[in-house]
Amino acid sequence: MDKKVAVLGGGNGAFAMASDLALQGFEIRMWSKYPDEFREIKKTHMIKVSGPLIQGEAKISVVTDRIEEAIRGADLICSPIPAFTQTSVAESLLPHIEDGQVIFLSPGTFGSYLMSKRLREMGCRKDIAIGETGTLPFLTRKMSPVESRIVVRACNLPTGVFPARKTEEAIEKIRAVFPSVHPVEDALSGALMNAGPVIHPPLIVLNTGPIENPAPYDIHNEGTTPGIRKIISLLDEERIAVREAFGYKPNHYPLEDYYDETRPNEWMYPRISKKLLMESRLWYEKIDYKHRYATEDIACGLAFLNSAADYIGAAIPVARSLLCLAGGGAGVDFMKTGRTLQSVGLSHLPIEELRERLREGF
Amino acid sequence: MDKKVAVLGGGNGAFAMASDLALQGFEIRMWSKYPDEFREIKKTHMIKVSGPLIQGEAKISVVTDRIEEAIRGADLICSPIPAFTQTSVAESLLPHIEDGQVIFLSPGTFGSYLMSKRLREMGCRKDIAIGETGTLPFLTRKMSPVESRIVVRACNLPTGVFPARKTEEAIEKIRAVFPSVHPVEDALSGALMNAGPVIHPPLIVLNTGPIENPAPYDIHNEGTTPGIRKIISLLDEERIAVREAFGYKPNHYPLEDYYDETRPNEWMYPRISKKLLMESRLWYEKIDYKHRYATEDIACGLAFLNSAADYIGAAIPVARSLLCLAGGGAGVDFMKTGRTLQSVGLSHLPIEELRERLREGF
């Protein structure tokens, strides 16, 4: 019998993941709480897939706004949706999640902990595990309500599991669907692999002018200039310094491995990715402080990186500067409103207790 | 007899100042250490003036690369050249400066102190005074080696004098040439009026993408978006907070008075200035970290604002963030390489001694 995979959400990531896995032979059940996202595929149960990697018509077995129809008996529950929806997804999952099920967040932004905590607070005692990785497994855009264009598929997905004691069994289940997954120490290590908070905040802040202007502009293309690359590198060095301060081991997946294809190590995406991304011209889109790059990667991801650095005592001047200026532009203090070790209730724990919580769970 | 005015430098500011004052009837002597800047006007002693305010042919009495020919007997020595040249200008002035002469820096970036210190170190005992104001008295561009286009003339030039005990006599001499000058407390108050370090660093940092791209781009026009305006406002609030922490009094010339022409107070430039600046389309120029906006307004001005805040204990997160990101882009730590209260040798003084130094001089 085919493996059953629930894919939560109806955006870029969900459409790519559902259709790519369907074409590989998985039985796919898609759920979104917004029926409008499914208004076309609800009728046809088909997603057209285009792009350089893979083309075809992907059959989606279940298309529903009732989450239990998606997750019942699912071998894996995939949640490729923005971090700021994770608490709400946990609330939707609560009555239906089953013992032994595994949820895969791509990326996570420490959502594995946050969702577990929310489920626990609401009384859930099911024996589940949540894995989180450092990026969406695809570079992709939903071209229409019936078409996904997939430009790149990830080749390395470093993944932390909450609780970490369940790493082996959870990774086995995730890897049965995503062979490029490999385990890292724990959920925090997985969260500190997240590339979005390193790439997108510099691209937004240092391109504030052009993204606020009407002319088409691609922050990944003409917006990724030598000066901005330098800032991204410095920010990534800070992320890695935070990982090292927590004692996490390499491979830290330095973003240089993505930007410079001559380096020996392949990043999460294969070497050809940057070229394909730029050639696709799919990323000329309107970006503002309501875009996922801001609401997820700044408010959740970059604030979290700052708080992790504060907790462990690492100096991160570039991360702090970007968060300050992004907050100034958006009119908020992301350290107060965003996702932090404070806001998830962990900042008061000594490091040994934090490690134990990450390992043992609730 | 006409008043004699020496104008130092051969760039945008010097050409505008020399020609505007010449058309008003002053006897103008221009000096530059770079003879090439004068290769045309050396022959004709004429600068063509264009723009909405004033048009004509301005006669320049002296055009020289020998500074003594410019400053001998001058009623005022004007130095509208970038802050990073001030030490070198002081060294050129040393053998020739006369008792009672007044130098006017527009703007100063605390150069009045720095030049006085350098002159003193080299043994100068002349009784001179140096005034510094918050902006160039013109919005202007040198259109060619023989033409200056003047778009705006300043209407308020708050000016601090070093040493402050000579404020009254120095202001009188400067005001005889620039009637819009009025005194502020001392040189530091004048330095903390400088608008360049508040306007230009956000415009550069938050437009890093477009200024590194080949397409024409005006940071003052399409580069001044709502989000960037917000950051400029926050930065200006920090500048004013530093002024207040030092005990300096209003008018602090908030930049809102420049950007919002409906406010009751007129800024250093008259209300029409922003409109004229944008309509002129003169500011579509190539900007990088070698431009004056960076070498003067970041390395000297913004670093100085940061150091003044550190000295007095004011919180300036936006100023610090911009300096950090600009330094990351330029590959330097401006707090180490730039102009600071440390680098000018004042940071160790208690506040009372600092005030006395500013008042009494050396």
Side-chain angles (χ1 to χ4, degrees):
Chain A
M1 200 182 74
D2 288 341
K3 281 206 181 297
K4 293 179 267 300
V5 178
V7 176
L8 310 185
N12 294 315
F15 264 57
M17 188 176 284
S19 54
D20 185 47
L21 294 176
L23 288 175
Q24 291 178 49
F26 292 96
E27 181 191 314
I28 299 299
R29 297 97 160 265
M30 294 186 79
W31 167 82
S32 168
K33 69 191 296 187
Y34 306 106
D36 193 52
E37 294 183 320
F38 290 160
R39 68 180 188 277
E40 295 300 325
I41 61 167
K42 182 91 186 159
K43 303 174 209 157
T44 61
H45 285 249
M46 282 290 179
I47 296 176
K48 186 184 164 202
V49 186
S50 60
L53 277 182
I54 189 171
Q55 304 84 31
E57 300 273 335
K59 178 171 178 292
I60 310 302
S61 302
V62 174
V63 176
T64 182
D65 59 359
R66 296 164 52 93
I67 201 165
E68 63 272 29
E69 296 177 358
I71 71 168
R72 186 181 302 132
D75 297 285
L76 185 66
I77 300 169
C78 299
S79 185
I81 49 180
F84 50 81
T85 64
Q86 288 160 340
T87 305
S88 153
V89 168
E91 290 163 4
S92 299
L93 286 169
L94 173 69
H96 311 293
I97 189 105
E98 299 164 10
D99 267 320
Q101 282 191 316
V102 171
I103 305 170
F104 180 49
L105 309 179
S106 54
T109 321
F110 209 51
S112 58
Y113 181 82
L114 194 69
M115 289 177 74
S116 301
K117 177 166 176 273
R118 186 76 191 112
L119 285 164
R120 184 74 177 187
E121 285 166 356
M122 294 184 301
C124 177
R125 291 293 179 274
K126 297 283 166 53
D127 178 37
I128 62 164
I130 308 184
E132 67 172 89
T133 188
T135 186
L136 189 70
F138 306 92
L139 291 177
T140 181
R141 281 294 181 264
K142 182 177 170 181
M143 304 302 290
S144 78
V146 297
E147 181 184 353
S148 173
R149 185 160 303 163
I150 298 175
V151 179
V152 162
R153 200 189 278 128
C155 55
N156 287 300
L157 289 170
T159 301
V161 174
F162 185 85
R165 64 180 165 78
K166 293 175 71 71
T167 295
E168 199 175 336
E169 59 176 284
I171 291 291
E172 191 183 335
K173 287 186 182 176
I174 302 171
R175 196 144 50 186
V177 181
F178 297 98
S180 52
V181 160
H182 67 86
V184 297
E185 293 91 339
D186 56 28
L188 181 58
S189 179
L192 292 174
M193 283 298 184
N194 195 349
V198 180
I199 296 176
H200 296 135
L203 291 183
I204 289 184
V205 170
L206 303 176
N207 285 302
T208 300
I211 67 176
E212 292 191 331
N213 275 306
Y217 192 83
D218 178 3
I219 58 173
H220 299 285
N221 205 325
E222 63 266 35
T224 304
T225 60
I228 295 181
R229 273 288 310 282
K230 257 191 228 169
I231 299 294
I232 292 175
S233 290
L234 292 171
L235 178 57
D236 202 45
E237 286 169 18
E238 293 180 356
R239 176 187 68 85
I240 291 170
V242 172
R243 287 184 55 79
E244 289 173 340
F246 274 104
Y248 295 127
K249 300 292 179 225
N251 182 342
H252 297 304
Y253 287 91
L255 271 167
E256 282 303 302
D257 288 345
Y258 166 72
Y259 283 112
D260 178 1
E261 58 272 18
T262 67
R263 285 164 61 103
N265 285 333
E266 201 157 40
W267 195 69
M268 298 187 205
Y269 296 137
R271 285 204 175 72
I272 191 75
S273 302
K274 194 180 54 157
K275 183 165 171 285
L276 292 174
L277 173 86
M278 289 171 72
E279 285 175 1
S280 76
R281 302 186 64 84
L282 289 184
W283 274 260
Y284 283 89
E285 56 193 356
K286 187 65 199 158
I287 291 171
D288 57 24
Y289 280 99
K290 291 177 191 131
H291 191 282
R292 179 193 80 76
Y293 290 166
T295 52
E296 178 172 27
D297 290 332
I298 295 176
C300 297
L302 188 60
F304 186 79
L305 177 62
N306 272 268
S307 77
D310 289 344
Y311 176 90
I312 204 70
I316 49 160
V318 171
R320 198 162 318 281
S321 298
L322 288 164
L323 196 72
C324 169
L325 295 177
V332 295
D333 179 349
F334 287 118
M335 288 307 282
K336 298 216 171 90
T337 64
R339 179 175 300 181
T340 61
L341 281 174
Q342 288 75 28
S343 78
V344 302
L346 286 175
S347 59
H348 65 290
L349 293 184
I351 184 74
E352 299 74 21
E353 288 181 40
L354 175 63
R355 291 211 172 97
E356 191 192 336
R357 176 75 58 87
L358 292 171
R359 187 173 63 244
E360 300 300 329
F362 293 100
Chain B
M1 200 182 74
D2 287 342
K3 280 206 182 296
K4 293 179 268 300
V5 178
V7 176
L8 310 185
N12 294 315
F15 264 57
M17 188 176 284
S19 54
D20 185 47
L21 294 176
L23 287 176
Q24 290 178 49
F26 292 96
E27 181 192 314
I28 300 298
R29 297 98 159 264
M30 293 186 79
W31 166 82
S32 168
K33 69 191 296 186
Y34 306 106
D36 194 53
E37 294 184 321
F38 290 160
R39 67 181 189 277
E40 296 299 326
I41 62 167
K42 182 91 186 158
K43 303 174 209 158
T44 61
H45 285 249
M46 282 290 178
I47 296 175
K48 187 184 165 202
V49 186
S50 60
L53 277 182
I54 189 171
Q55 304 84 30
E57 300 274 335
K59 177 171 178 291
I60 310 302
S61 302
V62 174
V63 177
T64 183
D65 59 359
R66 295 165 52 92
I67 201 165
E68 63 272 29
E69 297 178 356
I71 71 167
R72 186 181 302 132
D75 296 286
L76 185 66
I77 300 169
C78 299
S79 185
I81 49 181
F84 50 81
T85 65
Q86 288 161 341
T87 305
S88 152
V89 168
E91 290 162 4
S92 300
L93 286 170
L94 174 68
H96 311 292
I97 189 107
E98 299 164 11
D99 267 319
Q101 282 192 316
V102 171
I103 305 170
F104 180 50
L105 309 179
S106 53
T109 321
F110 209 50
S112 58
Y113 181 82
L114 194 68
M115 289 177 74
S116 301
K117 177 166 176 273
R118 186 76 190 111
L119 285 164
R120 184 74 177 187
E121 284 166 356
M122 294 185 300
C124 176
R125 291 291 180 275
K126 297 283 166 53
D127 179 36
I128 63 165
I130 308 184
E132 67 172 89
T133 188
T135 186
L136 189 70
F138 307 92
L139 291 178
T140 181
R141 281 295 181 264
K142 181 178 170 180
M143 305 301 290
S144 78
V146 297
E147 181 185 352
S148 173
R149 185 160 302 164
I150 299 175
V151 179
V152 162
R153 201 188 278 129
C155 55
N156 287 300
L157 289 170
T159 300
V161 174
F162 184 84
R165 64 180 165 78
K166 292 176 72 70
T167 295
E168 200 175 335
E169 59 176 285
I171 291 291
E172 192 183 334
K173 288 186 181 174
I174 302 171
R175 195 144 51 185
V177 181
F178 296 98
S180 51
V181 160
H182 67 86
V184 297
E185 293 91 339
D186 56 28
L188 181 58
S189 179
L192 293 174
M193 283 298 183
N194 196 349
V198 180
I199 296 176
H200 296 136
L203 291 183
I204 289 184
V205 170
L206 304 176
N207 284 303
T208 300
I211 68 176
E212 292 191 332
N213 274 306
Y217 192 82
D218 178 3
I219 58 173
H220 299 286
N221 205 324
E222 63 266 34
T224 304
T225 59
I228 295 180
R229 273 287 312 282
K230 257 191 228 169
I231 299 294
I232 292 175
S233 291
L234 292 171
L235 178 57
D236 202 45
E237 285 170 17
E238 293 180 357
R239 176 187 68 84
I240 292 170
V242 172
R243 287 185 55 79
E244 289 174 339
F246 273 103
Y248 295 127
K249 300 292 179 225
N251 182 343
H252 298 304
Y253 287 91
L255 271 166
E256 282 303 302
D257 288 346
Y258 167 72
Y259 283 112
D260 178 1
E261 58 273 17
T262 66
R263 285 164 60 105
N265 285 333
E266 201 157 40
W267 195 69
M268 298 187 205
Y269 296 137
R271 285 205 174 71
I272 191 77
S273 302
K274 193 180 54 158
K275 184 164 170 286
L276 291 174
L277 173 85
M278 290 171 72
E279 284 175 1
S280 76
R281 302 187 65 83
L282 289 184
W283 274 260
Y284 283 89
E285 56 194 356
K286 187 64 199 159
I287 292 171
D288 57 24
Y289 280 99
K290 292 176 191 131
H291 191 283
R292 180 193 80 76
Y293 290 166
T295 52
E296 179 172 27
D297 290 332
I298 295 176
C300 297
L302 188 60
F304 186 79
L305 177 62
N306 272 268
S307 78
D310 289 344
Y311 176 90
I312 204 70
I316 49 160
V318 171
R320 199 164 315 283
S321 298
L322 288 164
L323 196 72
C324 168
L325 295 177
V332 295
D333 179 350
F334 287 118
M335 288 308 281
K336 298 216 171 90
T337 65
R339 180 174 299 180
T340 61
L341 281 175
Q342 288 75 28
S343 78
V344 302
L346 285 175
S347 59
H348 65 290
L349 294 184
I351 184 74
E352 298 74 20
E353 288 181 40
L354 175 63
R355 291 212 172 96
E356 191 193 336
R357 176 75 58 87
L358 293 172
R359 187 173 63 244
E360 299 300 329
F362 292 100

